[in-house]
Amino acid sequence: MRRLEHGELPSAYDRQPPAWERQPSLRSFGETLKACLLAPGPFFDTLPRRGGLSYLGFALLAAWPATVIGQVLWAGLQAIAVGAEAGLVLVGVYGGMSLFMTPVQILMQVLVGGLIGHGCLKLAGGANAPIEGTLRAYAYVQAASIFSFVPLLGWAVAGLWALVLQVVALRGMHETSWARAIVAVLLPPLICCILVVPFFLLVWLAGRGAQ
């Protein structure tokens, strides 16, 4: 009763942790990844809003190897144009940077992206779950990064599917409307466009004036 008085939704008692959180292993990772990608509605409708930090491990395992492989393959394609010796250096630099920077990027996407998404959902009037629930949702959204091992096309598919998963995740985790979830996901890029486009327009006009 105290949890209900503090704003906990009744459905919190019907939510069960995914296979990955019950017993982390490659098998449970595959089961959770499949459920998240192919049945995101039921997955996020039943994902607990609180728990341990194993969701961060899932995000790293889903996105880290695929992203590194994709960037190394992309560097390899570029290396073909510059020759064998320079190409090996290029692949080595890309691979090394990706290996160490990708985990930081993934954690930033979960933490910063989750905070921004939660704030935007609050503005839209649909934040019915604690911030931890949003962070957990954004961690499992990283499942879409599994497609990024394919250069160019894979990154595009991963990015688009991640947006879809964010909408489904926010709606399911916060038990809000589709409209509020869509607004929360699209509001950050919309604000960026509003701020960035006028800046580049001013730069272009300044360049034209200088000519």
Side-chain angles (χ1 to χ4, degrees), residues 3-4 7-15 49 128 175:
R3 292 174 67 180
L4 290 174
E8 181 69 270
L9 295 172
S11 65
Y13 309 105
D14 298 327
R15 294 174 177 264
R49 300 183 178 93
N128 302 318
E175 297 182 20

Side-chain angles (χ1 to χ4, degrees), residues 144 153-166:
L153 181 60
W155 298 339
V157 172
L160 291 174
W161 194 236
L163 287 176
V164 173
L165 290 182
Q166 286 176 17

Side-chain angles (χ1 to χ4, degrees), residues 121-192:
L121 192 59
K122 265 188 173 302
L123 291 175
N128 302 318
I131 181 66
E132 182 183 353
T134 306
L135 296 179
R136 289 169 58 81
Y138 270 65
Y140 285 102
V141 165
Q142 296 299 314
S145 298
I146 199 73
F147 299 112
S148 60
F149 74 93
V150 181
L152 290 181
L153 181 60
W155 298 339
V157 172
L160 291 174
W161 194 236
L163 287 176
V164 173
L165 290 182
Q166 286 176 17
V167 173
V168 177
L170 289 179
R171 189 209 63 82
M173 184 63 72
H174 291 268
E175 297 182 20
T176 186
S177 66
W178 286 107
R180 287 188 171 94
I182 292 172
V183 168
V185 171
L186 296 183
L187 192 58
L190 181 61
I191 292 175
C192 288

Side-chain angles (χ1 to χ4, degrees), residues 19-32 61:
W20 169 258
E21 294 187 21
R22 292 196 298 269
Q23 186 177 4
S25 66
L26 287 179
R27 181 177 180 178
S28 62
F29 170 77
E31 292 177 6
T32 304
L61 189 58

